[in-house]
Amino acid sequence: MHVQAAKTVSHILHNCRQSENSYPRSYPPKTLLPFLTPPKTPTLSFRLASAPIKTREPNTNKTKSKVSIQVRLMRFVVTKPSAGAGAAGKARLGALYLGGGGAAPPIETPALVVPTRRGLPSFISRDLLDRLPYPDSLLLHLCPIHFIECPSTRTIKNIGGVHEMVGLQDHFFIASPGDSVESLPEHGGTNKIGAAFETPSGRRLINPKDYMDIISSTRPNLWASLADEVPAWVTEKRNRLSIDRTLKWLDDCLSLDQEKGASTLGAVVGGPNIEHRKKCATEVSMRNVSGFYLGGFGLGESIEERSALLNAVTNILPEEKIRFVSRLGLPEEVLQGVAAGIDLFDSTYIYHLTLGGFALVFPLDILGEAPEALLRNSSNDYTKINLHATIYRKDTSPIVDKCSCYTCQNHTRAYLNHLLNVHEMLAQILLEIHNTHHYLGFFRSIRRALKQEKFELFRERFMESRRVHLMEAVPYS
Amino acid sequence: MALQFEVVGRFNRARASKLTLPHYVVQTPMFMPVGTQGTIKGLTNRQLEDIGCQIILGNTYHLALRPGAELIDELGGLHKFMNWKRGLLTDSGGFQMVSLLHLADITEEGVTFQSPVDGKPMLLTPEESIQIQNKIGADIIMALDDVVRTTITGPRIEEAMYRTLRWMDRCIAAHKRPDAQNLFGIVQGGLDPVLRDICVRGLVERNLPGYAIGGLAGGEDKDSFWRVVAQCTAALPEDKPRYVMGVGYPLDIVVCSALGADMYDCVYPTRTARFGTALVPEGVLKLKHNAMASDERPIDSTCSCMVCKNYTRAYIHSLVTRDAMGSQLLSYHNLSYMMRLSKDLHMSIVEGRFPEYVRGFLRTQFPKGDVPQWVCNAMEVAGIDISSCCAPVPV
């Protein structure tokens, strides 16, 4: 059992900030930290929250260090339990600690899990990742399906796992099958042997053993079991089948797991059927898992019916274990998930925005701003701007005034407009940096609102401002 | 003149220098990556600085089309537009027009062509080229020259050479910012030494801040290529920088440096990266190759760039041609390699070990001793003994 004292972690952090090599590259000796149970009062997470956005020193010439398997385990702690009452009754704050003597600071939840392709973001290379908000940007998604073809599991194992392979030894990887961009679950192809995914190289079927091969060679910090995720319009019979399969595959994965569930997120499915969802949640809770992956969302259910489904599941799941959901990407969907008690979100909202040439601009200080200020908008859309538009040709302002991301600190809207018009890759790099930075800021705002116990107000204000813009966009006589 | 050129080391014809430009102080020999449309494909300014890039190129033709010279001028010049703090060089736009556009025609007035935007006939004159480059604001600007491919023969070459000289005068007259931007002349004349000589003398008479050797790197045989470079570097003034345009293969850069050239540009390192090829001391490494899928070594074990310190060939193999990140990482490495090559050339000349460096380079590229004949010929003229690198001729 690897647990860590919050007080000791902050002590290490304090020293890290002071010393010349401010962030240790290889894990310090394990004798450095005594092992104590974490405190019940979440003093550390509050302190981190009030600190300004911190970024790390650039990390350009890092030497590789092989890290032993023990340090990978993560521990989740609920730092501010849900209030239990009210519409946002199930929202809670938590912290993810990397165990085993490392000095990595905890990641606060609810948190965004940054999407990746083969372990790296689509456009942000590791030396640019350094400048994103810290430690929020340490949390990355891993899609095992990306590694079906290459590199082989043996090569990945030899290299030492995904952290070594992509040069992000200090980051945390959370794995779930499928990503929302190009490895989509294909329920029609899934059968009793394995789950099917549509990938750029065609349809692929993966069984629990192959899946666990990839998991055990990549060694993410947390991983979801293989699931049969079906869209909302399947028959009841197909839905029931998906639950049976998912449970069986969970058991298969666990039996192949060397860590006996210590890093496993049990997959809970059940489609649009509340009773099925409850049944699946109950079953999965009985297994020896460390957390839960709520699968099958974002596959066609309406946003209205989703709340009921989410809550049906989280009502049953044990409070102290972490919950991760995929494909709830839009801000409204994130807020919905937070209200239902979800801790981790994997969103491809940023990716789609970036590809379309959009940059997020909505104000993050939603509680601080007067309501009228929020509704005032300088462009057509309060949330985002499309930098393709000719109005930006000569706009020498940054995307968002006072944004501390690399893009806003160094480049103008005019330059981005030009890059988009000439189809240069740098446009996507700069946009992904800004959008990721901004969206991580959104999650910080959510956590701040939760700490101040103003989450309901936060959510209301945010939704109100979105609705106003929609109404303005629709002309009526 | 807006530059200072100081030779800080020599070996026979080769020289290392410190070149002070309005925006940056550079060390030569130096390779300049090409940032065609106001960006190096897939790399941020910070990464380019980390890699050690000193000057990058912008293409006048592309920038004049989009975003347009007026806009760049209005927003304070290309440096400000890109937020690039170091050196910039723009070419005249002539080469792109001739090589990219159908129905481009060269007359005494200038280059007439069809606008790619709306098909209207347009004319780029020397005056206009300089005007556009004045607006863009680069540290070094190039005269509009009459470029002819070296594979062509006949009176066209002579016509082009004389026209280049006449256009040079028009460029000089049109140049409004000689205190802030250095106008380089370009030596033309095909592969004919007589024509080249006339052109060199003509340009030297005009006392320009620097000189380029143009019209090469277009498919001519290597033996002719090095001879033209050798002739030009011998005739061009010692105290001004020499820029061989379009040269990018590492071997070519080493040979030209030995013959006395200082600056180079080429799309090769970044373009080949996007096709999955990495530059290594031994030559090239094709990351797409199946053998790379399980190769756990870094691309180049002697390279200390971010990519080689963190990634294996196997991982890069899984990215190339599939993900944008693959192009980015390979471009990063390839440019790091070119900057390291530049630095090594400069330091080996300064530290008096240039011949050893050249021999080491050739041995690594040609371990079997099969150094091409043209390299041997060139090195003889350069006064560098590479007999130890060449395998004995079989009897």
Side-chain angles (χ1 to χ4, degrees):
Chain A
M1 277 294 209
H2 298 277
V3 295
Q4 199 147 349
K7 196 165 155 199
T8 328
V9 168
S10 76
H11 173 73
I12 299 291
L13 269 177
H14 181 71
N15 284 339
C16 291
R17 285 187 194 129
Q18 309 280 39
S19 66
E20 181 61 27
N21 297 313
S22 60
Y23 193 72
R25 301 288 168 242
S26 58
Y27 290 95
K30 296 192 183 59
T31 51
L32 190 63
L33 301 168
F35 294 117
L36 301 169
T37 48
K40 293 284 188 268
T41 49
T43 49
L44 175 63
S45 54
F46 279 118
R47 186 158 52 239
L48 276 180
S50 56
I53 292 184
K54 177 176 160 48
T55 55
R56 294 155 61 177
E57 300 306 315
N59 186 13
T60 44
N61 277 316
K62 185 169 165 162
T63 49
K64 281 197 204 180
S65 56
K66 292 251 189 243
V67 185
S68 62
I69 193 167
Q70 296 93 290
V71 300
R72 297 278 177 235
L73 291 178
M74 293 187 82
R75 174 150 293 282
F76 174 69
V77 171
V78 176
T79 52
K80 190 174 163 75
S82 53
K90 304 193 62 62
R92 76 259 193 90
L93 283 165
L96 273 169
Y97 292 86
L98 190 70
I107 308 259
E108 298 188 319
T109 66
L112 173 71
V113 181
V114 175
T116 65
R117 301 209 34 71
R118 290 195 177 80
L120 285 176
S122 309
F123 304 103
I124 309 175
S125 53
R126 60 181 295 288
D127 53 324
L128 299 171
L129 212 49
D130 273 352
R131 291 269 308 244
L132 286 177
Y134 177 82
D136 318 32
S137 59
L138 291 180
L139 207 54
L140 300 174
H141 183 244
L142 182 73
C143 176
I145 312 303
H146 294 163
F147 299 101
I148 275 186
E149 289 190 346
C150 65
S152 69
T153 49
R154 195 173 70 170
T155 305
I156 301 177
K157 202 167 271 185
N158 288 344
I159 295 174
V162 67
H163 296 76
E164 281 294 325
M165 187 167 65
V166 304
L168 293 174
Q169 286 85 343
D170 303 329
H171 283 64
F172 305 167
F173 282 95
I174 319 262
S176 65
D179 67 45
S180 317
V181 174
E182 62 156 59
S183 301
L184 300 150
E186 179 42 64
H187 73 287
T190 300
N191 55 32
K192 64 180 177 207
I193 299 178
F197 295 88
E198 286 296 347
T199 75
S201 44
R203 189 176 289 187
R204 290 274 183 270
L205 194 69
I206 185 163
N207 61 36
K209 179 177 178 313
D210 293 339
Y211 185 74
M212 288 310 293
D213 274 345
I214 299 179
I215 295 288
S216 65
S217 61
T218 51
R219 295 196 317 188
N221 301 85
L222 288 173
W223 55 272
S225 58
L226 191 63
D228 181 7
E229 298 183 71
V230 299
W233 57 81
V234 296
T235 61
E236 200 185 311
K237 183 175 166 198
R238 178 68 181 88
N239 206 14
R240 250 184 279 121
L241 186 55
S242 78
I243 299 175
D244 295 337
R245 273 195 198 135
T246 301
L247 288 170
K248 177 177 183 306
W249 290 343
L250 169 58
D251 292 333
D252 290 344
C253 288
L254 284 172
S255 69
L256 292 165
D257 179 28
Q258 292 166 341
E259 289 163 15
K260 302 285 172 257
S263 308
T264 311
L265 305 172
V268 176
V269 293
N273 186 317
I274 292 205
E275 286 313 309
H276 288 177
R277 284 272 177 191
K278 282 188 189 169
K279 174 172 172 251
C280 194
T282 313
E283 284 291 328
V284 177
S285 303
M286 298 197 297
R287 267 73 169 173
N288 182 27
V289 293
S290 303
F292 302 94
Y293 166 64
L294 280 75
F297 287 100
L299 288 176
E301 77 283 1
S302 70
I303 202 166
E304 287 87 17
E305 54 184 347
R306 192 186 295 146
S307 271
L309 292 166
L310 283 170
N311 281 294
V313 174
T314 54
N315 276 335
I316 292 178
L317 296 178
E319 281 289 308
E320 73 278 6
K321 295 190 180 176
I322 197 168
R323 297 102 175 239
F324 173 38
V325 75
S326 273
R327 287 178 294 273
L328 297 194
L330 292 171
E332 293 89 336
E333 298 175 315
V334 167
L335 291 171
Q336 187 184 45
V338 170
I342 304 291
D343 309 298
L344 295 177
F345 297 82
D346 137 41
S347 164
T348 51
Y349 184 45
I350 298 167
Y351 179 74
H352 289 115
L353 285 172
T354 301
L355 282 195
F358 290 93
L360 289 173
V361 297
F362 63 83
L364 297 173
D365 188 14
I366 293 169
L367 288 175
E369 300 253 351
E372 305 78 49
L374 281 179
L375 304 180
R376 186 189 342 122
N377 51 22
S378 55
S379 58
N380 294 332
D381 184 338
Y382 158 78
T383 317
K384 57 190 185 289
I385 54 175
N386 187 337
L387 285 162
H388 278 109
T390 46
I391 48 170
Y392 300 114
R393 272 191 84 226
K394 297 186 185 177
D395 189 340
T396 53
S397 58
I399 296 176
V400 170
D401 198 29
K402 298 198 199 60
C403 173
S404 57
C405 80
Y406 176 83
T407 305
C408 292
Q409 290 291 308
N410 288 283
H411 293 293
T412 60
R413 294 174 174 193
Y415 186 56
L416 278 156
N417 173 269
H418 163 67
L419 292 176
L420 284 167
N421 284 331
V422 296
H423 310 292
E424 280 286 346
M425 207 191 299
L426 186 60
Q428 277 77 45
I429 299 173
L430 295 176
L431 279 178
E432 193 177 52
I433 290 175
H434 169 78
N435 288 333
T436 306
H437 184 105
H438 201 88
Y439 216 40
L440 287 172
F442 175 62
F443 276 81
R444 277 194 182 211
S445 300
I446 292 177
R447 293 194 291 270
R448 195 158 40 234
L450 281 167
K451 277 162 203 161
Q452 294 169 4
E453 290 174 19
K454 293 188 181 161
F455 177 69
E456 256 317 290
L457 178 64
F458 178 94
R459 191 180 176 191
E460 248 174 58
R461 283 253 186 98
F462 187 85
M463 303 297 284
E464 192 55 49
S465 58
R466 301 270 273 189
R467 253 175 248 139
V468 164
H469 121 255
L470 282 171
M471 278 165 57
E472 280 184 7
V474 177
Y476 57 95
S477 54
Chain B
M1 181 136 106
L3 62 76
Q4 277 168 297
F5 184 73
E6 186 194 336
V7 176
V8 296
R10 276 190 199 282
F11 182 83
N12 291 352
R13 298 170 63 142
R15 68 273 186 85
S17 85
K18 189 173 102 166
L19 171 61
T20 307
L21 295 167
H23 285 89
Y24 201 61
V25 180
V26 312
Q27 293 179 330
T28 73
M30 165 191 61
F31 174 77
M32 304 180 283
V34 181
T36 309
Q37 306 193 95
T39 157
I40 305 279
K41 295 195 189 313
L43 294 171
T44 62
N45 289 345
R46 197 184 91 162
Q47 289 173 313
L48 293 170
E49 285 171 11
D50 287 344
I51 290 171
C53 293
Q54 310 185 73
I55 302 184
I56 56 184
L57 254 78
N59 282 118
T60 297
Y61 169 74
H62 292 93
L63 291 171
L65 270 181
R66 296 180 294 193
E70 289 300 334
L71 187 144
I72 295 179
D73 193 23
E74 215 178 300
L75 296 186
L78 188 59
H79 277 95
K80 192 140 177 245
F81 186 61
M82 290 173 65
N83 197 17
W84 174 246
K85 309 254 177 3
R86 299 186 176 183
L88 279 176
L89 186 155
T90 48
D91 69 338
S92 61
F95 179 73
Q96 268 74 42
M97 261 187 269
V98 169
S99 62
L100 291 181
L101 294 170
H102 312 294
L103 307 178
D105 200 21
I106 307 185
T107 63
E108 187 59 30
E109 226 190 316
V111 183
T112 59
F113 60 102
Q114 260 188 356
S115 161
V117 175
D118 52 9
K120 280 198 328 234
M122 296 191 67
L123 175 69
L124 181 75
T125 60
E127 288 79 12
E128 199 173 318
S129 169
I130 298 301
Q131 219 177 43
I132 296 174
Q133 293 187 75
N134 280 156
K135 293 202 171 102
I136 295 175
D139 301 76
I140 299 175
I141 65 176
M142 306 305 295
L144 184 67
D145 54 341
D146 189 353
V147 188
V148 166
R149 290 213 186 281
T150 40
T151 40
I152 292 177
T153 52
R156 174 73 187 106
I157 309 179
E158 187 176 350
E159 178 196 42
M161 188 275 289
Y162 280 113
R163 182 171 292 144
T164 297
L165 286 174
R166 291 193 291 277
W167 281 0
M168 187 73 240
D169 289 329
R170 287 166 63 181
C171 288
I172 295 171
H175 185 24
K176 294 281 173 294
R177 306 180 56 197
D179 51 316
Q181 297 179 280
N182 299 284
L183 174 61
F184 278 26
I186 308 180
V187 180
Q188 294 292 343
L191 300 175
D192 185 338
V194 173
L195 294 175
R196 286 275 175 181
D197 186 52
I198 298 172
C199 201
V200 167
R201 282 193 277 117
L203 288 175
V204 170
E205 256 170 41
R206 281 136 175 102
N207 195 24
L208 298 163
Y211 300 93
I213 302 167
L216 294 174
E220 70 281 350
D221 68 291
K222 282 294 200 260
D223 218 25
S224 313
F225 161 74
W226 80 261
R227 284 175 210 281
V228 173
V229 174
Q231 183 197 352
C232 293
T233 51
L236 287 168
E238 279 291 307
D239 59 344
K240 306 236 171 111
R242 305 148 177 179
Y243 164 27
V244 188
M245 303 185 81
V247 166
Y249 293 129
L251 180 61
D252 296 0
I253 290 180
V254 172
V255 170
C256 290
S257 299
L259 293 170
D262 311 300
M263 299 157 61
Y264 311 93
D265 84 281
C266 197
V267 293
Y268 172 67
T270 35
R271 182 175 289 170
T272 206
R274 295 195 295 283
F275 287 102
T277 302
L279 297 176
V280 292
E282 293 79 15
V284 297
L285 193 68
K286 293 199 174 7
L287 271 307
K288 276 195 289 189
H289 207 266
N290 281 329
M292 297 290 122
S294 54
D295 194 331
E296 293 154 33
R297 297 172 288 175
I299 290 175
D300 176 9
S301 53
T302 65
C303 178
S304 59
C305 80
M306 180 268 293
V307 177
C308 293
K309 289 217 121 182
N310 289 280
Y311 297 107
T312 55
R313 298 173 182 192
Y315 182 65
I316 306 276
H317 168 87
S318 70
L319 294 179
V320 291
T321 70
R322 274 180 255 242
D323 296 320
M325 183 61 64
S327 297
Q328 282 180 41
L329 294 177
L330 273 185
S331 295
Y332 190 105
H333 165 77
N334 281 2
L335 282 187
S336 298
Y337 177 81
M338 297 306 289
M339 292 304 119
R340 184 165 65 125
L341 176 71
S342 306
K343 184 100 190 162
D344 285 346
L345 285 167
H346 176 87
M347 292 310 293
S348 65
I349 296 174
V350 165
E351 290 172 3
R353 47 180 179 83
F354 184 61
E356 289 88 351
Y357 175 76
V358 172
R359 286 192 280 269
F361 178 88
L362 290 174
R363 264 186 229 116
T364 318
Q365 288 236 327
F366 305 103
K368 293 198 211 121
D370 51 340
V371 178
Q373 189 58 43
W374 72 271
V375 176
C376 300
N377 297 342
M379 287 305 174
E380 205 176 308
V381 168
I384 297 180
D385 177 16
I386 58 164
S387 50
S388 59
C389 310
C390 302
V393 177
V395 282

